Amino acid sequence: MNNQTLQTTKLFWMGLLVFSSLILFFYGVKFLQEESIQKSSFSFKVIFKNAQGIDSGDDVRMLGKKIGYVKGTSIIGQNIILDVQINNIFNTSIPIDSKFEITSEDIMGSKFLRIYPGKDSKKFILDGDT
């Protein structure tokens, strides 16, 4: 084996190692954030008079479990509209008569949207509802 071939082989293995490390790092970060790349979801909007400091990226929880996040916020008239993104596993878990509350998570002031499930077992919040 000549010197040129040996150098090319080392360069190939080094590139493969760096590429594999980047892929592993990316999936590791997604795993630690409890996100899945292939997770399907649906969204709906919730209207509040006062957003109480909730912002995009804050959690949405129901019965103590994170089921989604706040995708965005907007102001229409005197109301705050929260665009909520929910994991598709829970698409028939949020009854139409559920109550929504913005809650402070800790002493530092981070917020999340809490859903108190309603009693209606026939009608559920669907994709695109308000």
Side-chain angles (χ1 to χ4, degrees):
M1 224 188 239
N2 65 13
N3 197 17
Q4 180 77 16
T5 307
L6 186 60
Q7 190 174 11
T8 305
T9 304
K10 284 182 181 179
L11 191 60
F12 168 77
W13 287 111
M14 183 65 74
L16 185 63
L17 178 67
V18 169
F19 180 73
S20 300
S21 298
L22 288 174
I23 295 295
L24 193 62
F25 176 75
F26 176 75
Y27 281 105
V29 167
K30 289 296 182 185
F31 174 76
L32 291 175
Q33 291 178 346
E34 297 178 3
E35 291 182 16
S36 174
I37 293 176
Q38 299 171 347
K39 215 184 260 188
S40 59
S41 59
F42 72 101
S43 65
F44 57 91
K45 297 184 185 320
V46 182
I47 302 172
F48 286 99
K49 292 284 184 195
N50 184 352
Q52 301 175 11
I54 198 162
D55 205 4
S56 300
D58 289 339
D59 290 347
V60 175
R61 296 184 186 171
M62 186 170 72
L63 303 173
K65 178 162 178 52
K66 179 183 173 185
I67 63 168
Y69 65 95
V70 176
K71 186 175 173 184
T73 60
S74 59
I75 299 173
I76 297 180
Q78 297 295 319
N79 297 319
I80 302 293
I81 311 293
L82 299 181
D83 189 9
V84 178
Q85 191 86 20
I86 302 293
N87 189 333
N88 219 15
I89 297 170
F90 304 102
N91 65 350
T92 57
S93 299
I94 308 173
I96 197 78
D97 61 342
S98 298
K99 305 288 186 222
F100 296 85
E101 175 184 78
I102 298 172
T103 305
S104 183
E105 185 171 18
D106 55 22
I107 197 163
M108 298 300 288
S110 58
K111 307 283 185 175
F112 68 93
L113 180 65
R114 177 178 286 160
I115 301 174
Y116 295 102
K119 304 285 184 210
D120 194 343
S121 61
K122 295 182 179 171
K123 293 182 184 175
F124 298 99
I125 295 176
L126 302 173
D127 190 25
D129 283 352
T130 300

